Coordinates of all heavy atoms in Angstrom, one line a residue:
M1 N 51.5 105.2 91.6 CA 50.3 104.9 92.3 C 49.6 103.7 91.8 O 49.1 102.8 92.5 CB 49.4 106.1 92.3 CG 48.2 106.0 93.3 SD 48.7 105.8 95.0 CE 48.6 107.5 95.5
K2 N 49.6 103.5 90.4 CA 48.9 102.4 89.8 C 49.6 101.1 90.2 O 49.0 100.0 90.4 CB 48.8 102.5 88.3 CG 50.1 102.6 87.6 CD 49.9 103.0 86.1 CE 51.3 103.2 85.5 NZ 51.2 103.7 84.1
H3 N 50.9 101.1 90.3 CA 51.7 100.0 90.7 C 51.3 99.5 92.1 O 51.2 98.3 92.4 CB 53.2 100.2 90.5 CG 53.6 100.6 89.2 ND1 53.9 101.9 88.9 CD2 53.7 99.9 88.0 CE1 54.2 102.0 87.6 NE2 54.1 100.8 87.0
L4 N 51.3 100.5 93.0 CA 51.0 100.2 94.4 C 49.5 99.7 94.5 O 49.3 98.7 95.3 CB 51.2 101.4 95.3 CG 50.9 101.2 96.8 CD1 51.8 100.1 97.3 CD2 51.2 102.5 97.5
A5 N 48.6 100.3 93.8 CA 47.2 99.8 93.8 C 47.1 98.4 93.3 O 46.4 97.6 93.9 CB 46.4 100.7 92.9
A6 N 47.8 98.0 92.3 CA 47.8 96.7 91.8 C 48.4 95.7 92.8 O 47.9 94.6 93.0 CB 48.5 96.6 90.4
Y7 N 49.5 96.1 93.4 CA 50.2 95.3 94.4 C 49.2 95.0 95.6 O 49.1 93.9 96.0 CB 51.4 96.1 95.0 CG 52.3 95.3 96.0 CD1 53.3 94.5 95.5 CD2 52.0 95.4 97.3 CE1 54.1 93.8 96.4 CE2 52.8 94.7 98.2 CZ 53.8 93.9 97.8 OH 54.6 93.2 98.7
L8 N 48.5 96.1 96.1 CA 47.6 95.9 97.2 C 46.4 95.0 96.8 O 45.9 94.2 97.6 CB 47.1 97.3 97.7 CG 48.2 98.2 98.3 CD1 47.6 99.5 98.6 CD2 48.7 97.5 99.6
L9 N 45.9 95.2 95.6 CA 44.8 94.3 95.1 C 45.3 92.8 95.1 O 44.5 91.9 95.4 CB 44.3 94.7 93.7 CG 43.5 96.0 93.7 CD1 43.2 96.5 92.3 CD2 42.2 95.8 94.4
L10 N 46.5 92.6 94.6 CA 47.0 91.2 94.6 C 47.1 90.7 96.0 O 46.8 89.5 96.3 CB 48.4 91.2 93.9 CG 48.3 91.4 92.4 CD1 49.7 91.7 91.9 CD2 47.7 90.2 91.7
V11 N 47.6 91.5 97.0 CA 47.6 91.1 98.4 C 46.2 90.7 98.9 O 46.0 89.7 99.5 CB 48.3 92.1 99.3 CG1 48.2 91.8 100.7 CG2 49.8 92.2 98.9
L12 N 45.3 91.6 98.6 CA 43.9 91.4 99.0 C 43.3 90.1 98.4 O 42.5 89.4 99.0 CB 43.0 92.6 98.7 CG 43.1 93.8 99.5 CD1 42.3 94.9 99.0 CD2 42.7 93.5 100.9
G13 N 43.8 89.8 97.2 CA 43.4 88.6 96.5 C 44.0 87.3 97.0 O 43.7 86.2 96.5
G14 N 44.9 87.4 98.0 CA 45.5 86.2 98.5 C 47.0 86.0 98.2 O 47.5 85.1 98.8
N15 N 47.6 86.8 97.4 CA 49.0 86.7 97.1 C 49.8 87.5 98.2 O 49.8 88.7 98.1 CB 49.3 87.2 95.7 CG 50.7 87.0 95.3 OD1 51.6 86.7 96.1 ND2 51.0 87.1 94.0
D16 N 50.3 86.8 99.2 CA 51.0 87.5 100.3 C 52.2 88.3 99.9 O 52.5 89.3 100.5 CB 51.4 86.4 101.4 CG 50.2 85.8 102.0 OD1 49.1 86.5 102.1 OD2 50.3 84.7 102.5
S17 N 52.9 87.9 98.8 CA 54.1 88.6 98.4 C 54.2 88.7 96.9 O 54.9 87.9 96.3 CB 55.3 87.9 99.0 OG 56.5 88.6 98.6
P18 N 53.4 89.6 96.3 CA 53.4 89.7 94.8 C 54.7 90.1 94.3 O 55.4 90.9 94.9 CB 52.4 90.8 94.5 CG 51.6 90.9 95.8 CD 52.5 90.5 96.9
S19 N 55.1 89.5 93.2 CA 56.4 89.9 92.5 C 56.1 91.0 91.5 O 55.0 91.3 91.2 CB 57.0 88.6 91.8 OG 56.1 88.3 90.7
A20 N 57.2 91.5 90.9 CA 57.0 92.5 89.9 C 56.3 92.0 88.7 O 55.5 92.7 88.1 CB 58.4 93.1 89.5
D21 N 56.5 90.7 88.4 CA 55.8 90.0 87.3 C 54.3 89.9 87.6 O 53.5 90.1 86.6 CB 56.4 88.7 87.0 CG 57.8 88.7 86.3 OD1 58.1 89.7 85.7 OD2 58.5 87.7 86.5
D22 N 54.0 89.6 88.8 CA 52.6 89.6 89.2 C 51.9 90.9 89.0 O 50.8 91.0 88.4 CB 52.4 89.1 90.6 CG 52.9 87.7 90.9 OD1 52.9 86.9 90.0 OD2 53.3 87.5 92.1
V23 N 52.5 92.0 89.4 CA 52.0 93.3 89.3 C 51.9 93.7 87.8 O 50.9 94.2 87.3 CB 52.8 94.4 90.0 CG1 52.4 95.8 89.7 CG2 52.8 94.1 91.5
T24 N 52.9 93.3 87.0 CA 52.9 93.6 85.6 C 51.7 92.9 84.9 O 51.0 93.5 84.1 CB 54.2 93.2 84.9 OG1 55.3 94.0 85.6 CG2 54.2 93.5 83.4
K25 N 51.6 91.6 85.2 CA 50.5 90.8 84.6 C 49.1 91.4 85.0 O 48.2 91.5 84.1 CB 50.6 89.4 85.1 CG 51.7 88.6 84.4 CD 51.7 87.2 85.0 CE 53.0 86.4 84.5 NZ 53.1 85.1 85.1
A26 N 48.9 91.8 86.2 CA 47.7 92.4 86.7 C 47.3 93.6 85.9 O 46.2 93.9 85.5 CB 47.7 92.6 88.2
L27 N 48.3 94.5 85.8 CA 48.1 95.8 85.1 C 47.9 95.6 83.6 O 47.0 96.2 83.0 CB 49.2 96.8 85.4 CG 49.3 97.3 86.8 CD1 50.6 98.1 87.0 CD2 48.1 98.2 87.1
S28 N 48.6 94.7 83.0 CA 48.5 94.4 81.6 C 47.2 93.8 81.3 O 46.6 94.0 80.2 CB 49.6 93.5 81.1 OG 50.9 94.1 81.3
A29 N 46.6 93.0 82.2 CA 45.3 92.4 82.0 C 44.2 93.4 81.8 O 43.2 93.1 81.1 CB 45.0 91.4 83.1
V30 N 44.4 94.6 82.3 CA 43.3 95.6 82.2 C 43.8 96.7 81.3 O 43.2 97.8 81.3 CB 42.9 96.1 83.6 CG1 42.2 95.1 84.4 CG2 44.1 96.7 84.3
G31 N 44.9 96.5 80.5 CA 45.3 97.4 79.5 C 46.1 98.6 80.0 O 46.1 99.7 79.4
V32 N 46.7 98.5 81.2 CA 47.5 99.6 81.8 C 48.9 99.4 81.5 O 49.4 98.3 81.7 CB 47.2 99.7 83.3 CG1 48.1 100.8 83.9 CG2 45.7 100.0 83.6
E33 N 49.6 100.4 81.0 CA 51.0 100.3 80.7 C 51.8 100.4 82.0 O 51.5 101.2 82.9 CB 51.4 101.4 79.8 CG 52.8 101.3 79.2 CD 53.1 102.4 78.2 OE1 52.2 102.8 77.4 OE2 54.2 102.9 78.2
V34 N 52.9 99.6 82.1 CA 53.7 99.5 83.3 C 55.0 100.3 83.1 O 55.6 100.1 82.0 CB 54.0 98.0 83.6 CG1 55.0 97.9 84.8 CG2 52.7 97.2 83.9
D35 N 55.4 101.1 84.0 CA 56.6 101.8 84.0 C 57.6 100.9 84.8 O 57.6 100.9 86.0 CB 56.5 103.2 84.7 CG 57.8 104.0 84.6 OD1 58.8 103.4 84.4 OD2 57.7 105.2 84.9
A36 N 58.5 100.2 84.1 CA 59.3 99.2 84.7 C 60.3 99.8 85.8 O 60.5 99.2 86.8 CB 60.2 98.5 83.6
D37 N 60.8 101.0 85.5 CA 61.7 101.7 86.5 C 61.0 102.0 87.8 O 61.5 101.7 88.9 CB 62.3 102.9 85.9 CG 63.2 102.7 84.7 OD1 63.8 101.6 84.7 OD2 63.3 103.6 83.9
R38 N 59.8 102.5 87.7 CA 59.0 102.9 88.9 C 58.6 101.6 89.7 O 58.6 101.6 90.9 CB 57.8 103.7 88.6 CG 58.2 105.1 88.2 CD 56.9 106.0 88.1 NE 57.3 107.3 87.8 CZ 56.5 108.4 87.9 NH1 55.3 108.2 88.2 NH2 57.0 109.6 87.6
L39 N 58.2 100.6 88.9 CA 57.8 99.3 89.5 C 59.0 98.7 90.3 O 58.8 98.3 91.4 CB 57.2 98.4 88.5 CG 56.8 97.0 89.0 CD1 55.8 97.1 90.1 CD2 56.3 96.1 87.9
A40 N 60.1 98.7 89.6 CA 61.3 98.2 90.3 C 61.7 98.9 91.5 O 62.0 98.3 92.6 CB 62.5 98.2 89.3
A41 N 61.6 100.3 91.5 CA 61.9 101.1 92.7 C 60.9 100.8 93.8 O 61.3 100.6 95.0 CB 61.8 102.6 92.3
M42 N 59.6 100.6 93.5 CA 58.6 100.3 94.5 C 58.9 98.9 95.1 O 58.8 98.8 96.3 CB 57.2 100.4 93.9 CG 56.1 100.1 94.9 SD 54.5 99.8 94.2 CE 54.7 98.0 93.7
M43 N 59.2 98.0 94.2 CA 59.4 96.6 94.7 C 60.6 96.6 95.7 O 60.6 95.9 96.7 CB 59.6 95.6 93.6 CG 58.3 95.5 92.7 SD 56.9 94.9 93.6 CE 57.3 93.3 94.1
T44 N 61.6 97.4 95.3 CA 62.8 97.5 96.2 C 62.5 98.1 97.5 O 63.0 97.6 98.6 CB 63.9 98.3 95.5 OG1 64.3 97.7 94.3 CG2 65.2 98.4 96.4
E45 N 61.6 99.1 97.5 CA 61.2 99.7 98.8 C 60.4 98.8 99.7 O 60.4 98.9 100.9 CB 60.5 101.0 98.5 CG 61.3 102.1 97.8 CD 61.2 103.4 98.5 OE1 60.4 103.5 99.5 OE2 61.9 104.3 98.0
L46 N 59.6 98.0 99.0 CA 58.7 97.1 99.8 C 59.4 95.8 100.2 O 58.9 95.1 101.1 CB 57.5 96.7 98.9 CG 56.5 97.8 98.6 CD1 55.4 97.4 97.7 CD2 55.9 98.4 99.9
E47 N 60.5 95.5 99.6 CA 61.2 94.2 99.9 C 61.5 94.1 101.4 O 62.1 94.9 102.0 CB 62.5 94.2 99.1 CG 63.2 92.8 99.1 CD 64.4 92.8 98.1 OE1 64.3 93.4 97.0 OE2 65.4 92.2 98.5
G48 N 61.1 92.9 101.9 CA 61.4 92.6 103.3 C 60.6 93.3 104.4 O 60.8 93.2 105.5
K49 N 59.6 94.1 103.9 CA 58.8 94.9 104.9 C 57.4 94.3 105.0 O 56.9 93.7 104.1 CB 58.7 96.3 104.4 CG 60.1 97.0 104.4 CD 59.9 98.5 104.0 CE 61.3 99.1 104.0 NZ 61.3 100.5 103.5
D50 N 56.8 94.4 106.2 CA 55.5 93.9 106.5 C 54.5 95.0 106.0 O 54.6 96.1 106.4 CB 55.3 93.6 108.0 CG 53.9 93.1 108.3 OD1 53.5 92.2 107.6 OD2 53.3 93.7 109.2
L51 N 53.6 94.6 105.1 CA 52.7 95.5 104.5 C 51.7 96.2 105.6 O 51.5 97.3 105.6 CB 51.8 94.8 103.5 CG 50.9 95.7 102.7 CD1 51.7 96.8 101.9 CD2 50.1 94.9 101.7
N52 N 51.3 95.4 106.6 CA 50.5 95.9 107.7 C 51.2 97.0 108.5 O 50.6 98.0 108.8 CB 50.0 94.8 108.6 CG 49.0 93.9 107.9 OD1 48.2 94.3 107.1 ND2 49.1 92.6 108.1
E53 N 52.5 96.8 108.7 CA 53.2 97.8 109.5 C 53.4 99.1 108.6 O 53.3 100.2 109.1 CB 54.6 97.3 109.8 CG 54.6 96.2 110.9 CD 56.0 95.6 111.2 OE1 57.0 96.1 110.7 OE2 56.0 94.6 111.9
L54 N 53.6 98.9 107.3 CA 53.7 100.1 106.4 C 52.4 100.9 106.4 O 52.4 102.1 106.4 CB 54.1 99.6 105.0 CG 55.5 99.1 104.8 CD1 55.7 98.6 103.4 CD2 56.5 100.2 105.1
M55 N 51.3 100.1 106.3 CA 50.0 100.8 106.3 C 49.7 101.6 107.6 O 49.2 102.7 107.6 CB 48.9 99.8 106.1 CG 49.0 99.0 104.8 SD 48.4 99.9 103.4 CE 46.7 99.8 103.6
E56 N 50.1 101.0 108.7 CA 49.9 101.6 110.0 C 50.8 102.9 110.1 O 50.3 103.9 110.6 CB 50.2 100.6 111.2 CG 49.8 101.1 112.5 CD 48.3 101.4 112.6 OE1 47.5 100.6 112.0 OE2 47.9 102.3 113.3
A57 N 52.0 102.8 109.7 CA 52.9 103.9 109.7 C 52.4 105.0 108.8 O 52.4 106.2 109.2 CB 54.3 103.5 109.3
G58 N 51.8 104.7 107.7 CA 51.3 105.7 106.8 C 50.0 106.3 107.4 O 49.8 107.5 107.2
K59 N 49.3 105.6 108.1 CA 48.1 106.1 108.7 C 48.5 107.1 109.8 O 47.9 108.2 110.0 CB 47.2 105.0 109.3 CG 45.9 105.5 109.8 CD 44.9 104.3 110.0 CE 45.1 103.4 111.1 NZ 44.0 102.5 111.4
E60 N 49.5 106.8 110.5 CA 50.0 107.8 111.6 C 50.6 109.1 110.9 O 50.4 110.1 111.4 CB 51.1 107.1 112.4 CG 50.6 106.0 113.3 CD 51.7 105.2 114.0 OE1 52.9 105.7 114.0 OE2 51.4 104.2 114.6
E61 N 51.2 108.9 109.8 CA 51.7 110.1 109.1 C 50.5 111.0 108.6 O 50.5 112.2 108.7 CB 52.5 109.7 107.9 CG 53.9 109.2 108.2 CD 54.8 110.2 108.9 OE1 54.8 111.3 108.4 OE2 55.5 109.8 109.8
L62 N 49.4 110.3 108.1 CA 48.3 111.1 107.6 C 47.6 111.8 108.8 O 47.0 112.9 108.6 CB 47.3 110.2 107.0 CG 47.7 109.7 105.6 CD1 46.7 108.7 105.0 CD2 47.7 110.9 104.6
A63 N 47.6 111.2 110.0 CA 47.0 111.8 111.1 C 47.6 113.2 111.5 O 47.0 114.1 112.0 CB 47.1 110.9 112.3
K64 N 48.9 113.3 111.1 CA 49.6 114.6 111.4 C 49.1 115.8 110.6 O 49.2 116.9 111.0 CB 51.1 114.5 111.1 CG 51.8 113.5 112.1 CD 53.3 113.4 111.7 CE 54.0 112.3 112.5 NZ 55.4 112.1 112.1
F65 N 48.4 115.5 109.5 CA 47.9 116.5 108.7 C 46.6 117.1 109.3 O 46.2 118.2 108.8 CB 47.5 116.0 107.3 CG 48.7 115.7 106.4 CD1 49.1 114.4 106.2 CD2 49.5 116.7 105.9 CE1 50.2 114.1 105.4 CE2 50.6 116.5 105.1 CZ 50.9 115.2 104.9
G66 N 46.0 116.5 110.2 CA 44.8 117.0 110.8 C 43.6 116.5 110.0 O 43.8 116.0 108.9
G67 N 42.5 116.7 110.5 CA 41.3 116.2 109.7 C 40.3 117.3 109.6 O 39.9 118.0 110.5
G68 N 39.8 117.5 108.4 CA 38.7 118.4 108.2 C 39.1 119.8 108.5 O 40.1 120.1 109.0
G69 N 38.3 120.7 108.3 CA 38.4 122.1 108.6 C 37.1 122.6 109.0 O 36.1 121.9 109.1
G70 N 37.1 123.9 109.1 CA 35.8 124.5 109.4 C 34.9 124.4 108.2 O 35.3 124.0 107.1
G71 N 33.7 124.7 108.3 CA 32.7 124.7 107.2 C 33.1 125.8 106.2 O 34.0 126.6 106.4
G72 N 32.4 125.8 105.1 CA 32.6 126.8 104.1 C 32.2 128.2 104.6 O 31.6 128.3 105.7
G73 N 32.6 129.2 103.9 CA 32.3 130.5 104.3 C 30.8 130.8 104.2 O 30.1 130.1 103.5
G74 N 30.3 131.7 105.0 CA 28.9 132.0 105.0 C 28.5 132.8 103.7 O 29.4 133.3 103.0
G75 N 27.3 132.8 103.4 CA 26.8 133.5 102.2 C 26.9 135.0 102.4 O 26.8 135.5 103.5
G76 N 27.1 135.7 101.4 CA 27.2 137.1 101.4 C 25.8 137.7 101.6 O 24.8 137.1 101.4
G77 N 25.8 139.0 102.1 CA 24.5 139.7 102.3 C 23.9 140.0 100.9 O 24.6 140.1 99.9
A78 N 22.6 140.0 100.9 CA 21.9 140.3 99.6 C 22.0 141.8 99.2 O 22.1 142.6 100.1 CB 20.4 139.9 99.8
A79 N 22.2 142.0 97.9 CA 22.2 143.3 97.4 C 20.8 143.9 97.4 O 19.9 143.2 97.2 CB 22.8 143.3 96.0
G80 N 20.7 145.2 97.6 CA 19.4 145.9 97.8 C 18.7 146.0 96.5 O 17.5 145.7 96.3
G81 N 19.3 146.5 95.4 CA 18.6 146.9 94.2 C 18.4 145.8 93.2 O 17.5 145.9 92.4
D82 N 19.1 144.7 93.2 CA 19.0 143.7 92.2 C 18.2 142.5 92.6 O 18.2 141.5 91.9 CB 20.4 143.3 91.7 CG 21.1 144.4 91.0 OD1 20.5 145.3 90.5 OD2 22.4 144.3 91.0
A83 N 17.5 142.6 93.7 CA 16.8 141.4 94.2 C 15.7 140.9 93.2 O 15.5 139.7 93.0 CB 16.1 141.7 95.5
G84 N 15.0 141.8 92.5 CA 14.0 141.5 91.6 C 14.5 140.7 90.4 O 13.9 139.8 89.9
A85 N 15.7 141.2 89.9 CA 16.3 140.5 88.7 C 16.7 139.1 89.1 O 16.6 138.2 88.2 CB 17.5 141.3 88.3
A86 N 17.2 138.9 90.3 CA 17.6 137.5 90.7 C 16.4 136.6 90.7 O 16.5 135.4 90.3 CB 18.3 137.6 92.0
E87 N 15.3 137.1 91.2 CA 14.1 136.2 91.2 C 13.6 135.9 89.8 O 13.2 134.7 89.6 CB 13.0 137.0 92.0 CG 13.2 137.1 93.5 CD 12.1 137.8 94.2 OE1 11.0 138.0 93.6 OE2 12.3 138.2 95.3
E88 N 13.7 136.8 88.9 CA 13.3 136.5 87.5 C 14.2 135.4 86.9 O 13.7 134.5 86.2 CB 13.4 137.8 86.7 CG 12.3 138.7 86.9 CD 12.4 140.0 86.0 OE1 12.9 139.8 84.9 OE2 11.9 141.0 86.4
E89 N 15.5 135.5 87.2 CA 16.4 134.5 86.6 C 16.1 133.1 87.2 O 16.1 132.1 86.4 CB 17.9 134.8 87.0 CG 18.5 135.9 86.2 CD 20.0 136.1 86.6 OE1 20.6 135.2 87.1 OE2 20.4 137.2 86.4
E90 N 15.7 133.0 88.4 CA 15.4 131.7 89.0 C 14.1 131.2 88.3 O 14.0 130.0 88.0 CB 15.1 131.8 90.5 CG 16.4 132.0 91.3 CD 16.2 132.1 92.8 OE1 15.1 131.6 93.3 OE2 17.0 132.7 93.5
K91 N 13.1 132.0 88.1 CA 11.9 131.6 87.4 C 12.2 131.1 86.0 O 11.7 130.1 85.6 CB 10.9 132.7 87.4 CG 10.3 133.0 88.7 CD 9.3 134.1 88.6 CE 8.8 134.5 90.0 NZ 7.8 135.7 89.9
E92 N 13.1 131.7 85.3 CA 13.4 131.3 83.9 C 14.1 130.0 83.9 O 13.8 129.1 83.1 CB 14.3 132.4 83.3 CG 13.6 133.7 82.9 CD 14.6 134.7 82.3 OE1 15.7 134.3 81.9 OE2 14.2 135.9 82.3
E93 N 15.0 129.7 84.9 CA 15.7 128.4 85.0 C 14.7 127.3 85.2 O 14.8 126.2 84.7 CB 16.7 128.5 86.1 CG 17.9 129.3 85.7 CD 19.0 129.4 86.8 OE1 18.9 128.5 87.7 OE2 19.8 130.3 86.8
E94 N 13.7 127.6 86.0 CA 12.7 126.5 86.3 C 11.9 126.2 85.1 O 11.4 125.1 85.0 CB 11.8 127.0 87.5 CG 12.5 127.1 88.8 CD 11.6 127.6 89.9 OE1 10.4 127.8 89.7 OE2 12.2 127.9 91.0
E95 N 11.7 127.1 84.2 CA 10.8 126.9 83.1 C 11.5 126.2 82.0 O 10.8 125.7 81.0 CB 10.3 128.3 82.6 CG 9.3 129.0 83.6 CD 8.9 130.3 83.1 OE1 9.2 130.7 81.9 OE2 8.3 131.1 83.9
E96 N 12.8 126.1 82.0 CA 13.5 125.4 80.9 C 13.1 123.9 80.9 O 12.9 123.3 81.9 CB 15.0 125.5 81.1 CG 15.6 126.8 80.9 CD 17.1 126.9 81.1 OE1 17.7 125.8 81.0 OE2 17.6 128.0 81.2
E97 N 13.0 123.3 79.7 CA 12.6 121.9 79.6 C 13.8 121.2 79.0 O 14.7 121.7 78.4 CB 11.4 121.8 78.6 CG 10.2 122.5 79.1 CD 9.0 122.3 78.1 OE1 9.1 121.5 77.2 OE2 8.0 123.0 78.3
E98 N 13.8 119.8 79.2 CA 14.8 119.0 78.7 C 14.6 118.8 77.2 O 13.5 118.7 76.7 CB 14.8 117.6 79.4 CG 15.2 117.7 80.8 CD 15.3 116.3 81.5 OE1 15.3 115.3 80.7 OE2 15.2 116.3 82.7
A99 N 15.7 118.8 76.5 CA 15.7 118.6 75.0 C 15.3 117.1 74.7 O 15.8 116.2 75.3 CB 17.0 118.9 74.4
D100 N 14.5 117.0 73.7 CA 14.1 115.6 73.3 C 15.1 115.2 72.3 O 15.2 115.8 71.2 CB 12.7 115.7 72.7 CG 12.2 114.3 72.2 OD1 12.8 113.3 72.7 OD2 11.3 114.2 71.4
I101 N 15.9 114.1 72.6 CA 16.9 113.6 71.7 C 16.5 112.4 70.9 O 17.3 111.6 70.4 CB 18.2 113.4 72.5 CG1 18.0 112.3 73.6 CG2 18.8 114.6 73.0 CD1 19.2 111.9 74.3
G102 N 15.2 112.1 70.9 CA 14.7 110.9 70.2 C 14.7 109.8 71.2 O 15.6 109.7 72.0
G103 N 13.8 108.9 71.1 CA 13.6 107.9 72.1 C 14.6 106.8 72.0 O 15.2 106.5 70.9
G104 N 15.0 106.2 73.1 CA 15.7 105.0 73.2 C 17.2 105.1 72.8 O 17.7 104.1 72.2
V105 N 17.9 106.2 73.0 CA 19.3 106.2 72.6 C 20.1 105.5 73.7 O 20.0 105.9 74.9 CB 19.7 107.7 72.4 CG1 21.2 107.7 72.2 CG2 19.0 108.3 71.3
D106 N 20.9 104.6 73.3 CA 21.8 103.9 74.2 C 23.0 104.7 74.5 O 23.6 105.2 73.6 CB 22.2 102.5 73.6 CG 23.0 101.7 74.5 OD1 23.1 102.0 75.7 OD2 23.5 100.6 74.1
M107 N 23.4 104.8 75.8 CA 24.6 105.7 76.1 C 25.9 105.1 75.5 O 26.9 105.8 75.5 CB 24.7 105.9 77.6 CG 25.0 104.7 78.4 SD 25.0 105.1 80.2 CE 26.7 105.5 80.4
F108 N 25.9 103.9 75.1 CA 27.1 103.3 74.6 C 27.0 103.2 73.0 O 27.9 102.6 72.4 CB 27.3 101.9 75.2 CG 27.6 102.0 76.6 CD1 26.6 101.5 77.5 CD2 28.7 102.5 77.1 CE1 26.8 101.6 78.9 CE2 29.0 102.6 78.5 CZ 28.0 102.1 79.4
G109 N 26.1 103.8 72.4 CA 26.0 103.9 71.0 C 25.2 102.8 70.3 O 24.9 102.9 69.1
G110 N 24.8 101.8 71.0 CA 24.0 100.8 70.3 C 22.5 101.1 70.3 O 22.1 101.8 71.2
D111 N 21.8 100.7 69.4 CA 20.4 101.0 69.3 C 19.6 99.8 69.2 O 18.4 99.8 68.8 CB 20.1 102.0 68.2 CG 20.5 101.5 66.8 OD1 21.2 100.4 66.8 OD2 20.2 102.2 65.8
D112 N 20.2 98.6 69.5 CA 19.4 97.4 69.4 C 18.4 97.1 70.5 O 17.6 96.3 70.4 CB 20.3 96.2 69.2 CG 21.3 96.0 70.4 OD1 21.3 96.8 71.3 OD2 21.9 94.9 70.4
G113 N 18.6 97.9 71.6 CA 17.7 97.7 72.7 C 17.8 96.4 73.5 O 17.0 96.0 74.3
G114 N 18.9 95.7 73.3 CA 19.1 94.4 74.0 C 19.6 94.6 75.4 O 19.7 95.7 75.9
D115 N 19.9 93.5 76.0 CA 20.4 93.5 77.4 C 21.8 94.0 77.4 O 22.5 94.1 76.4 CB 20.4 92.0 78.0 CG 18.9 91.6 78.2 OD1 18.0 92.4 78.3 OD2 18.7 90.4 78.2
Y116 N 22.3 94.2 78.6 CA 23.6 94.7 78.8 C 24.6 93.7 78.3 O 25.6 93.6 78.3 CB 23.8 95.1 80.3 CG 22.9 96.1 80.7 CD1 21.8 95.8 81.4 CD2 23.1 97.5 80.4 CE1 20.9 96.8 81.8 CE2 22.3 98.5 80.8 CZ 21.1 98.1 81.5 OH 20.3 99.1 81.9

């Protein structure tokens, strides 16, 4: 899938017919390891085919699966005897406070407070 994604990104970027080397370079540039056998198989399958026709054929295949389904199941009926306990749990959850982890912690580990 990563090979096909890179291939499609290269096509979107203006390369009408990306080579295996182009795909390898694109993936390597972002630190993704390339499986040469899978890439070669994909390139062989795409060879001489129009990408737009392949996309249209794929869309037709997806249409066969149908779309969406019914909504989720309805909620179950409420139990008679435990209704008071459920209300207490909800009140307890609302009363919880967020933990104070000290001011200004950067999610990436830096604490210099600088720009991104």
Side-chain angles (χ1 to χ4, degrees):
M1 189 61 94
K2 61 187 174 188
H3 302 105
L4 183 57
Y7 184 91
L8 292 173
L9 285 171
L10 288 166
V11 171
L12 284 172
N15 185 344
D16 292 333
S17 183
S19 67
D21 287 336
D22 294 334
V23 173
T24 301
K25 286 178 188 175
L27 289 172
S28 296
V30 292
V32 176
E33 189 174 323
V34 175
D35 182 345
D37 293 335
R38 287 188 178 194
L39 177 58
M42 183 193 79
M43 295 303 292
T44 301
E45 294 229 359
L46 291 175
E47 190 173 321
K49 296 182 181 174
D50 180 52
L51 187 59
N52 291 322
E53 289 176 11
L54 290 173
M55 299 281 283
E56 192 61 36
K59 190 161 68 170
E60 290 173 13
E61 288 293 317
L62 286 174
K64 293 178 184 177
F65 288 107
D82 293 336
E87 288 178 16
E88 284 182 30
E89 283 184 28
E90 287 181 24
K91 288 180 184 176
E92 287 178 17
E93 287 179 17
E94 291 175 11
E95 293 176 9
E96 290 182 19
E97 295 181 14
E98 293 184 18
D100 183 18
I101 57 173
V105 175
D106 183 9
M107 69 184 266
F108 297 107
D111 58 354
D112 62 352
D115 290 338
Y116 298 99

